[in-house]
């Protein structure tokens, strides 16, 4: 019996040693994943660090009267642990898999092949700037200001249908005689043409020209898109000066909360009734709220920051259901107008349960 116990003990010790060695090996092996976790939360009605580290209002307005605010309108962020140069260990991944506030996602989904960390950061910084412009346009448009939108050609793709007819910095003012007011509207008009030639009215160096371009067909799976081969940007000429101060945060997902913060700053009273509200969502100048990534991590970040309510894009509802942390009420929204209506109910102490909820959205 003693010999049997000794053999079993020896096997147990060796099994433990082998397991520890395997754990150490796995710790150093590269993995094809990164971890998403809740990032910092910023109150659009509060302050943020300025260029020299000083605290400045996150939203600054010149040229219009501003008003005192209360409560919070928080924008939420996601932090990514790992990159192509250094991926998380298998041990770190195991811990993340067991944490409901974190997500393990394929490396390729965050850092595509051929894209460096620096290039990704630069792209996200550009998206943040564009998001701020769209948020300002949406907010000022909602308040009745003229945003002076102009759709400008950023670049013409080589060998594309537009090459030779359209040039960089052309301002496209009309398509087939209909005034162009946004890049989204222009793309939709090209799509609606179904491959037929379109007449574009452009302003170039102070002169107006009318050019004809025939879109080319692009098929991805069962989706057909008609393209003329240009990248676009929308330039605005705002009546008032709105500056959004937020460094070290990239991507377009703060757009809706920026817009709400601007509206609250420029209107009397508290948009949120003094409550703590968080949210996320891209925004376009026409007020359309779009989907974002990392919604689950943002829900936990909002809860941990003290928010009671969370405005989530309707198009993200399938990722929200079943993942709402205790103590947080999620309201789904598809437009800036819907977000404002939800805040009205919250501010007035109304029936929040009557508002659109991801629990009842079946096809976002």
């Amino acid at each position: 019996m003693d010999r049997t116990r000794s053999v079993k003990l020896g096997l147990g010790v060796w099994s433990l040693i082998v397991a520890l060695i395997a754990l150490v090996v796995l710790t150093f092996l590269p993995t094809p994943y990164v971890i998403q976790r809740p990032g910092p939360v910023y109150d659009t009605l509060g302050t943020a660090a300025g260029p020299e580290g000083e605290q400045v209002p996150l939203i600054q307005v010149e040229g219009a009267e501003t008003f005192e605010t209360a409560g919070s309108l928080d924008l939420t962020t996601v932090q990514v642990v790992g990159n192509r140069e250094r991926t998380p260990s298998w041990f770190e991944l195991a811990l993340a898999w067991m944490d409901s506030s974190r997500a393990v996602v394929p490396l390729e989904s965050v850092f595509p092949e051929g894209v460096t960390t620096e290039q990704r950061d630069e792209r996200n910084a550009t998206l943040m700037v564009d998001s701020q412009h769209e948020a300002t346009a949406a907010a000022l448009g909602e308040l009745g200001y003229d945003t002076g939108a102009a759709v400008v050609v950023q670049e013409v793709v080589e060998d594309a249908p537009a090459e030779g007819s359209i040039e960089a910095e052309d301002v496209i003012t009309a398509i087939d005689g209909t005034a162009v007011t946004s890049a989204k509207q222009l793309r939709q008009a090209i799509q609606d043409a179904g491959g037929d030639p379109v007449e574009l009215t452009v302003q170039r160096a102070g002169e107006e020209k009318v050019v004809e371009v025939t879109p080319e067909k692009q098929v991805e799976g069962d989706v057909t898109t008609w393209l003329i081969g240009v990248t676009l940007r929308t330039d605005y000429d705002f009546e008032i000066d709105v500056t959004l101060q937020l460094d070290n945060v990239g991507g377009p997902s703060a757009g809706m909360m920026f817009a709400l913060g601007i509206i609250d700053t420029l209107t009397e009273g508290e948009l949120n009734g003094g409550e703590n509200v968080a949210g996320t969502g891209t925004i376009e100048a026409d007020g359309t709220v779009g989907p974002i990534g990392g919604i689950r991590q943002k829900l936990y970040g909002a809860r941990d920051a003290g928010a009671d309510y969370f405005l989530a894009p309707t198009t993200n509802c399938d990722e929200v259901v079943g993942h709402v942390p205790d103590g947080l009420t999620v309201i789904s929204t598809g437009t800036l107008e819907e977000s404002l209506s939800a805040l009205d109910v919250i501010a007035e102490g109304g029936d929040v349960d009557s508002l659109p909820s991801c629990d009842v959205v079946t096809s976002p």
Side-chain angles (χ1 to χ4, degrees):
M1 290 294 292
D2 290 341
R3 180 176 178 77
T4 301
R5 288 197 189 96
S6 178
V7 170
K8 289 182 178 179
L9 179 61
L11 290 173
V13 170
W14 277 109
S15 296
L16 179 60
I17 292 172
V18 170
L20 289 174
I21 292 173
L23 181 61
V24 170
V25 171
L26 285 175
T27 298
F28 292 99
L29 283 177
T31 63
Y33 300 100
V34 292
I35 299 169
Q36 292 180 333
R37 67 185 182 189
V41 171
Y42 301 91
D43 181 10
T44 60
L45 306 178
T47 61
E52 299 179 4
E54 75 284 11
Q55 290 294 309
V56 297
L58 196 148
I59 296 174
Q60 294 178 292
V61 176
E62 294 183 7
E65 184 179 7
T66 59
F67 300 89
E68 292 293 325
T69 60
S72 61
L73 289 172
D74 292 335
L75 65 87
T76 50
T77 67
V78 174
Q79 285 186 331
V80 176
V81 179
N83 52 43
R84 284 202 169 274
E85 290 73 38
R86 191 273 181 193
T87 59
S89 68
W90 287 104
F91 181 70
E92 290 173 302
L93 293 179
L95 293 177
W97 268 312
M98 294 185 289
D99 187 340
S100 57
S101 71
R102 301 190 178 200
V104 176
V105 299
L107 176 67
E108 286 290 336
S109 68
V110 182
F111 297 95
E113 186 72 40
V115 178
T116 66
T117 301
E118 291 74 18
Q119 290 172 328
R120 174 180 177 273
D121 291 344
E122 288 176 5
R123 178 177 180 274
N124 281 337
T126 299
L127 289 173
M128 169 59 84
V129 172
D130 291 344
S131 171
Q132 292 176 348
H133 290 162
E134 293 295 302
T136 303
L140 295 186
E142 177 68 27
L143 295 174
Y145 287 92
D146 181 10
T147 60
V151 178
V152 184
V153 176
Q154 181 77 22
E155 182 182 8
V156 179
V157 179
E158 187 177 356
D159 296 328
E163 188 177 33
S165 300
I166 302 292
E167 297 179 5
E169 299 305 315
D170 280 355
V171 178
I172 302 178
T173 60
I175 179 169
D176 291 332
T178 300
V180 169
T181 57
S182 71
K184 178 182 178 181
Q185 176 219 356
L186 175 59
R187 293 188 188 100
Q188 187 59 53
I190 293 170
Q191 185 71 12
D192 291 343
D196 292 336
V198 294
E199 283 192 345
L200 301 175
T201 304
V202 302
Q203 292 283 344
R204 181 184 304 161
E207 296 184 7
E208 184 174 275
K209 299 178 179 292
V210 177
V211 298
E212 183 177 275
V213 180
T214 302
E216 67 179 4
K217 188 177 185 179
Q218 182 181 69
V219 179
E220 293 185 7
D222 57 355
V223 178
T224 298
T225 306
W226 295 97
L227 304 171
I228 64 172
V230 297
T231 56
L232 303 169
R233 72 173 191 269
T234 304
D235 289 349
Y236 297 99
D237 184 15
F238 299 128
E239 295 182 40
I240 61 177
D241 186 14
V242 179
T243 301
L244 303 176
Q245 177 65 56
L246 188 61
D247 293 331
N248 302 320
V249 175
S253 65
M256 180 184 69
M257 298 311 294
F258 274 136
L260 293 174
I262 294 169
I263 291 173
D264 202 3
T265 301
L266 290 169
T267 53
E268 198 167 1
E270 292 92 26
L271 203 61
N272 52 16
E275 300 289 343
N276 295 322
V277 181
T280 188
T282 65
I283 200 162
E284 297 181 24
D286 65 1
T288 301
V289 173
I292 51 79
I295 185 77
R296 299 178 188 177
Q297 289 68 55
K298 291 177 180 180
L299 291 170
Y300 280 93
R303 191 276 310 273
D304 294 344
D308 299 306
Y309 305 96
F310 191 96
L311 300 173
T314 303
T315 41
N316 280 118
C317 272
D318 58 335
E319 301 172 77
V320 170
V321 175
H323 299 280
V324 179
D326 292 339
L328 191 66
T329 299
V330 177
I331 301 160
S332 68
T333 177
T335 65
L336 180 60
E337 185 177 352
E338 290 178 2
S339 299
L340 290 170
S341 296
L343 289 176
D344 282 342
V345 174
I346 293 171
E348 294 171 4
D351 183 10
V352 176
D353 291 337
S354 67
L355 294 171
S357 168
C358 283
D359 290 336
V360 297
V361 175
T362 57
S363 56

